[in-house]
Structures are given as structure tokens and as C-alpha cells.
Amino acid sequence: MKKVGKTILTVISGLSVASLIFWTAQYYLGALSHLYYSRDVVVSVYLFIGISVLSLAVFTAIVIMMYRCKKVISIICAILLILFIPAALLGSFIDMLALGISGPNGCSHTTDIENYGKYDDNMSISYFPDSITEDMTVVDFSYYYKYVDISHTDLFLEVRFNNKETMDKYLTTAKSAFSKNGTLTYQNPYNPIYTDIIENTWVSLSANDGYLASYIEFGNFDSYKYVDMNYSSISYSYEELTIIYNYTYIASDIEVGNNPDDGEYYPKFLERFNVEWNPENTFKYEYIEE
């Protein structure tokens, strides 16, 4: 095999290797851009690095053997490189597709109250408490974030108070954060002892429902189940002396399940009120134009 042919083959196959490693790195190393990534994500990053180094070593050895070894072995090495080019390009395409469909590997997910107030993209939600105070007993906290076409976010904080007066102080502060557009108040659709407060602003325009101020819609594509949910709310119960602060913006890119790293997640608000996936549990509230 002539030297010019070997050089061209080396360049093309080298670019194919670089493309494969680049797009695979976007998927695995991109997971480290999340603020709260899991131990499994770290393990996958180390595996990716190890496999990449090994692959580069094998590729380099094949190229060297193609140039330095006898004719038969040189031809075998050239054939291997030729076969590797479409395989690498196919792998690159699959990685690009995975990034487009599910985003980088993993997600941000934490239930540690020490992480309260520290979120991806410097997110700040005005009606949540600025900090956890001694007046509150934290019942539950959860934060989830994953970018797939859009930012899918679920932030949940449930706190209990010792008396109605203290609870009212925090409730008034939270409601005032919605004051710009006014508020809508109604009975929680899943638990009658709770009252929900949302901002009176439309978040979606539905052909069937008009302007919606909030919605929780259960849908599916065959066996793929999802919740399309845009629900920013303050839920409270004087009976339980409890306020639940919730912000959920999750769409059909996230599958219903309990494996956040693999893009399977169920909104904490629905889990808290024991709402199972069922199209009959769909809830929509119309924006009221003043």
C-alpha cells in the first residue's frame, strides 16, 4: 500500500475517531455540568476516559503497524481502519441523537436541605423562602433539573409551623411575591384539606382550554408515560400547619419513573399527594383576565 494512501487513510480514520470521542464526551462529561450529579455519573465518566484512552492506544498501534509491518499485516491494519471509519461515524451519529433526545448523561438531583437555594443556572424563585429559618420544621425538600431542549425543573419544599400566626406570616410573604399579576386561589385538586395559590398569569394557550394559568396533564406514547406539568404554587393547610412551596416545569421529554439519571422522574408534588399516573388525574386551571 502506497504511502500517500496510508496517509489519507490515517487522516480520515483519525478524524472519525476524534468525532466519536468528541460526541461521546459531550454525553458523558456533559453530566458534570450539573450541580448535583450522582456517584453513578462519576463512575461512567471514569469508564469513558478509560475506554477512550484504550481506544486511542489501539488506534495508534494499528496505524504504526500499517506503516512499519510487512505487507500482509499492513494490509490487514488498513482494512481495520477502513472498517472503523463507518463504525465511528455511526457511533458519532448515535451520540448526537442521544444528546438531542435526552441531553447529557445524568441530571441534577438532591434531597439534602443543605443545598437549599443553590440551583443550576442561578435559578431563583421569588415566592420560596429566602432561607430555612428556625420558625420552620422541614418535612421534605427535593430539587431536580435536566436540560433536554428546555430546562426541566422540579423544586419542592414542605415546611411545618408551630402555630397559625407564624404560618400566616410566611404565607403572606409568599403570596406577595405573586402580587404583580394577582393570585388565584382554589382547593387543591388532590387533597381537600389543602388550598392552592397560583399567580394569575397565563402560562399556556390550549386550543381546547383557552388560556391556562396552570396545568398538570398525564400523557403517553404507547408504553412511554409522561407528565406535562407547569405548576407554580403555594399549597397550605391550617389543619396540618403546613405550607408546600412548589415549582414544576416538566414536559414530555421526561419519562415517568424513578431513575433520574436515565431521564425517568415523577414530580414531587404529585408524589406528595399520592397522585398516580392516570389521564383522569389531569388538572387545568384557566387564567382569569381582569
Side-chain angles (χ1 to χ4, degrees):
M1 190 174 180
K2 294 183 178 180
K3 187 175 181 180
V4 174
K6 291 179 180 180
T7 301
I8 293 173
L9 182 56
T10 300
V11 171
I12 294 175
S13 58
L15 290 173
S16 300
V17 171
S19 175
L20 179 59
I21 291 176
F22 173 80
W23 287 108
T24 307
Q26 296 299 303
Y27 180 75
Y28 286 104
L29 298 185
L32 300 181
S33 65
H34 295 127
L35 193 57
Y36 305 111
Y37 47 80
S38 69
R39 184 178 300 175
D40 289 342
V41 163
V42 176
V43 170
S44 68
V45 167
Y46 280 117
L47 284 174
F48 160 72
I49 293 173
I51 293 171
S52 296
V53 170
L54 180 61
S55 299
L56 284 172
V58 171
F59 172 77
T60 302
I62 291 173
V63 171
I64 292 173
M65 290 170 65
M66 181 180 68
Y67 278 95
R68 294 186 177 181
C69 291
K70 294 181 179 180
K71 186 175 181 180
V72 175
I73 295 177
S74 179
I75 291 173
I76 292 173
C77 290
I79 292 172
L80 288 175
L81 292 179
I82 291 170
L83 292 175
F84 186 76
I85 292 170
L89 293 176
L90 177 61
S92 298
F93 176 75
I94 292 172
D95 286 339
M96 291 171 63
L97 197 63
L99 280 168
I101 293 174
S102 63
N105 185 38
C107 64
S108 254
H109 187 219
T110 181
T111 57
D112 186 350
I113 194 60
E114 294 297 321
N115 295 325
Y116 181 78
K118 296 171 284 187
Y119 313 121
D120 297 75
D121 293 342
N122 297 316
M123 183 183 73
S124 176
I125 302 175
S126 60
Y127 59 90
F128 274 67
D130 292 332
S131 61
I132 304 301
T133 69
E134 294 181 354
D135 294 331
M136 308 171 179
T137 298
V138 176
V139 178
D140 207 351
F141 166 72
S142 178
Y143 167 69
Y144 170 85
Y145 172 88
K146 186 173 178 65
Y147 186 88
V148 187
D149 291 332
I150 59 172
S151 295
H152 299 265
T153 306
D154 190 42
L155 179 60
F156 179 96
L157 174 68
E158 179 176 353
V159 291
R160 188 171 294 142
F161 300 90
N162 291 326
N163 55 70
K164 181 178 180 297
E165 291 72 26
T166 304
M167 176 177 158
D168 272 336
K169 181 179 70 173
Y170 285 90
L171 192 57
T172 299
T173 300
K175 287 170 66 175
S176 67
F178 283 155
S179 62
K180 181 179 178 181
N181 297 300
T183 59
L184 300 172
T185 303
Y186 50 86
Q187 186 181 76
N188 180 283
Y190 307 117
N191 189 324
I193 72 169
Y194 276 82
T195 299
D196 283 11
I197 303 171
I198 62 172
E199 187 174 13
N200 187 28
T201 183
W202 69 280
V203 296
S204 175
L205 175 60
S206 170
N208 297 323
D209 305 293
Y211 293 93
L212 298 176
S214 64
Y215 58 85
I216 304 171
E217 187 168 9
F218 298 81
N220 67 291
F221 306 116
D222 295 326
S223 60
Y224 178 96
K225 297 179 180 179
Y226 66 88
V227 179
D228 192 359
M229 184 170 174
N230 192 335
Y231 205 77
S232 303
S233 63
I234 307 161
S235 303
Y236 67 93
S237 168
Y238 286 120
E239 184 176 326
E240 296 186 353
L241 289 177
T242 295
I243 298 178
I244 296 172
Y245 303 87
N246 184 75
Y247 175 87
T248 305
Y249 186 66
I250 286 178
S252 59
D253 299 299
I254 306 300
E255 186 175 5
V256 168
N258 190 30
N259 193 343
D261 280 341
D262 286 343
E264 297 178 7
Y265 181 80
Y266 198 58
K268 189 68 177 180
F269 181 87
L270 299 177
E271 183 182 285
R272 165 60 176 80
F273 290 109
N274 300 312
V275 183
E276 297 182 352
W277 183 93
N278 190 327
E280 293 182 0
N281 289 327
T282 291
F283 174 78
K284 299 177 182 179
Y285 204 86
E286 291 186 12
Y287 160 68
I288 299 175
E289 188 172 2
E290 297 180 352

